[in-house]
Amino acid sequence: MGIVGERARVLVTVKASPQPSAKYGDTVCVAGLRIDESPHRWIRLYPVPFRWLSSSSQFSKFDIIDVTVKRRVQDSRTESFVPDTQSIEVVEHLDGWEARAPYMNLLPTTATCRLMSEAERDHAAPSLGMVRVASLEGYALEDHPGWTAEEEAKIAKAMMSSELDLFGTSAPPATKLRAPRLKLRYQYKCQEPECPTHQGLNLDWELTALQNRYHRESLDHLREIVKDKFIRQMFEDRRQTSFFMGNFEAPFKRAKFSVLGTYYPPLTVASKVPLF
């Protein structure tokens, strides 16, 4: 890619589910904390043709990476940057809740009500944030309609293109991008006292990856697998559960926020005061 920009150190907290792209094959929106600056601030990295990257450039959630970035000028959200994917270096992986606590326990939280109202007033308002879930009011597991004909065409075009060698890969991914079979939508209250409840669509790649792992299972069994992980486990009483929230680039959608990921450490870890 070879962009000219600045070097950033990022703690990756979000990898959204891949979406078809004619230019990049399929792209992922990545977000996290820029920890080379104080105080730490949110950063969005896009586009990331993650599945097409060389293995040395791929990373996991809660990896700390160094990457060259430049402002994404066509996106007025201040957190948005274009990464040079060939410049990615994985520094370390924060393995487990205890390792993540020194960063995450210092991170200020916000509320979905606040994010929405601020984005309604100002397109440059925060477009990313961590929201403490006050209560899970309900959820819906809906059938995913699959890729549209236009999306299928994008995938097919990319699989036959050689232009993606620019991103450090010599061949397409081993598998074609598979559409998830289910969509998960939460109904929840944030911590604003007068919160009317929110609907939040889960866009986390972890949800798609879980479905891919069990793609041979019946739809009923898959529903139980998803429910066990994303409802029972993530919202146990012994956990403090928060959503990583993000909005859309299109100006008319700025006040709409989706669930990009879930952070659910045990209460015993979440209550610890970091030493730095």
Side-chain angles (χ1 to χ4, degrees):
M1 199 169 180
I3 67 171
V4 177
E6 59 183 300
R7 202 70 175 157
R9 177 160 288 190
V10 178
L11 169 57
V12 177
T13 60
V14 165
K15 285 168 64 180
S17 188
Q19 296 298 311
S21 167
K23 185 175 182 180
Y24 302 109
D26 44 81
T27 55
V28 173
C29 182
V30 172
L33 299 177
R34 185 161 179 178
I35 61 174
D36 58 322
E37 297 183 346
S38 184
H40 301 161
R41 62 183 175 91
W42 288 103
I43 184 171
R44 175 187 292 104
L45 304 177
Y46 183 85
V48 181
F50 190 87
R51 296 187 331 122
W52 300 74
L53 298 181
S54 63
S55 58
S56 62
S57 295
Q58 293 190 356
F59 51 87
S60 302
K61 283 201 291 187
F62 294 104
D63 276 357
I64 293 175
I65 64 172
D66 286 339
V67 59
T68 300
V69 300
K70 69 175 181 179
R71 265 290 286 132
R72 192 163 186 262
V73 293
Q74 65 270 47
D75 187 341
S76 62
R77 295 174 296 179
T78 58
E79 301 93 341
S80 295
F81 286 75
V82 177
D84 180 346
T85 52
Q86 292 191 63
S87 76
I88 295 171
E89 296 180 16
V90 178
V91 178
E92 66 174 307
H93 176 65
L94 301 184
D95 190 14
W97 303 116
E98 292 277 0
R100 300 161 191 168
Y103 297 94
M104 304 307 296
N105 289 10
L106 285 175
L107 180 64
T109 58
T110 183
T112 306
C113 288
R114 198 176 316 150
L115 287 169
M116 293 173 64
S117 63
E118 290 175 354
E120 191 76 52
R121 292 194 304 268
D122 181 6
H123 282 180
S127 65
L128 293 166
M130 186 165 80
V131 168
R132 196 80 46 81
V133 179
S135 62
L136 181 65
E137 301 292 307
Y139 70 95
L141 277 170
E142 307 163 2
D143 291 345
H144 192 288
W147 303 132
T148 65
E150 181 182 0
E151 289 169 329
E152 289 281 6
K154 288 179 180 180
I155 295 170
K157 178 182 177 182
M159 295 293 282
M160 300 181 66
S161 173
S162 61
E163 294 179 5
L164 290 160
D165 289 351
L166 294 173
F167 296 100
T169 180
S170 58
T175 58
K176 176 185 171 183
L177 183 65
R178 179 187 290 123
R181 297 161 68 191
L182 295 170
K183 298 189 295 183
L184 173 60
R185 197 178 303 273
Y186 293 113
Q187 183 178 0
Y188 68 97
K189 287 190 175 183
C190 68
Q191 290 199 312
E192 286 290 281
E194 304 300 321
C195 177
T197 74
H198 303 285
Q199 296 276 349
L201 182 65
N202 187 312
L203 302 181
D204 191 354
W205 193 353
E206 190 175 341
L207 174 61
T208 299
L210 181 68
Q211 295 185 61
N212 286 341
R213 199 175 309 140
Y214 294 99
H215 70 276
R216 298 184 188 277
E217 298 292 335
S218 70
L219 195 56
D220 285 344
H221 190 199
L222 182 61
R223 287 177 183 276
E224 285 302 312
I225 291 169
V226 171
K227 181 178 177 181
D228 185 60
K229 175 70 174 180
F230 283 84
I231 304 298
R232 296 190 185 103
Q233 292 184 33
M234 292 186 178
F235 290 91
E236 289 178 321
D237 290 340
R238 69 184 186 91
R239 299 186 185 277
Q240 180 176 280
T241 304
S242 302
F243 288 147
F244 297 121
M245 304 295 296
N247 66 0
F248 294 89
E249 181 179 349
F252 69 94
K253 290 184 176 181
R254 286 294 169 88
K256 298 182 183 296
F257 282 79
S258 298
V259 176
L260 305 181
T262 310
Y263 186 66
Y264 51 104
L267 290 167
T268 53
V269 175
S271 62
K272 288 185 177 180
V273 178
L275 297 178
F276 66 89

